[in-house]
Amino acid sequence: EPMDVVNQFIDKNKDALSEISFGGVMGYCSGMAFRKVGRGVGLVAGVGFIGLQTAKHMGYIDVDWDKIGRDAIKPLDTNNDGKIDGQDIEVLWKKSQVVLQDQIPGAGGFSAGFLMGARRG
């Protein structure tokens, strides 16, 4: 009977199924959090830019946007080539996954869950 086959499969693979779902769920939740934090950072950066640029335009301050731009990308420029490109993103992604998946059950499902959460969160 088909249900017996399904029940046997579930019984034999309970641990693996629970680990995959836990890792995937934690990845999804982390992705959602990443997206929300990203929006907050974007809002703060946008408001900061508007304020600085307005004060600069009105003559209150002088802003070296070139220096700010160079300094802003330094933490993300992993290969020190002066720009953020696909190589940098790959290195940052791998580093973040090592940290976030450390000893988590079902870490294999974490990355897929994270990407889904970041996209849909």
Side-chain angles (χ1 to χ4, degrees), residues 17-48:
L17 291 172
S18 67
E19 287 180 5
I20 290 170
S21 65
F22 180 76
V25 168
M26 289 300 101
Y28 185 81
C29 293
S30 297
M32 286 177 54
F34 179 78
R35 183 175 176 154
K36 300 288 184 195
V37 168
R39 285 182 180 169
V41 169
L43 178 65
V44 169
V47 169

Side-chain angles (χ1 to χ4, degrees), residues 7-20:
N7 288 334
Q8 287 174 353
F9 175 80
I10 290 172
D11 285 341
K12 287 182 182 178
N13 298 293
K14 277 183 189 174
D15 293 338
L17 291 172
S18 67
E19 287 180 5
I20 290 170

Side-chain angles (χ1 to χ4, degrees), residues 21-118:
S21 65
F22 180 76
V25 168
M26 289 300 101
Y28 185 81
C29 293
S30 297
M32 286 177 54
F34 179 78
R35 183 175 176 154
K36 300 288 184 195
V37 168
R39 285 182 180 169
V41 169
L43 178 65
V44 169
V47 169
F49 170 78
I50 291 169
L52 286 173
Q53 188 62 17
T54 301
K56 178 184 182 300
H57 179 73
M58 296 175 74
Y60 291 113
I61 61 173
D62 188 28
V63 178
D64 185 349
W65 287 117
D66 290 330
K67 180 170 178 18
I68 291 172
R70 286 189 307 271
D71 291 347
I73 67 166
K74 278 182 186 177
L76 303 175
D77 184 15
T78 60
N79 57 8
N80 296 316
D81 63 358
K83 61 184 178 185
I84 300 172
D85 54 18
Q87 292 174 338
D88 298 314
I89 300 300
E90 184 178 352
V91 169
L92 294 168
W93 174 255
K94 287 179 180 178
K95 285 182 179 181
S96 71
Q97 294 305 292
V98 168
V99 171
L100 295 175
Q101 293 180 21
D102 185 29
Q103 297 184 351
I104 189 173
F110 184 89
S111 294
F114 183 91
L115 292 172
M116 286 176 46

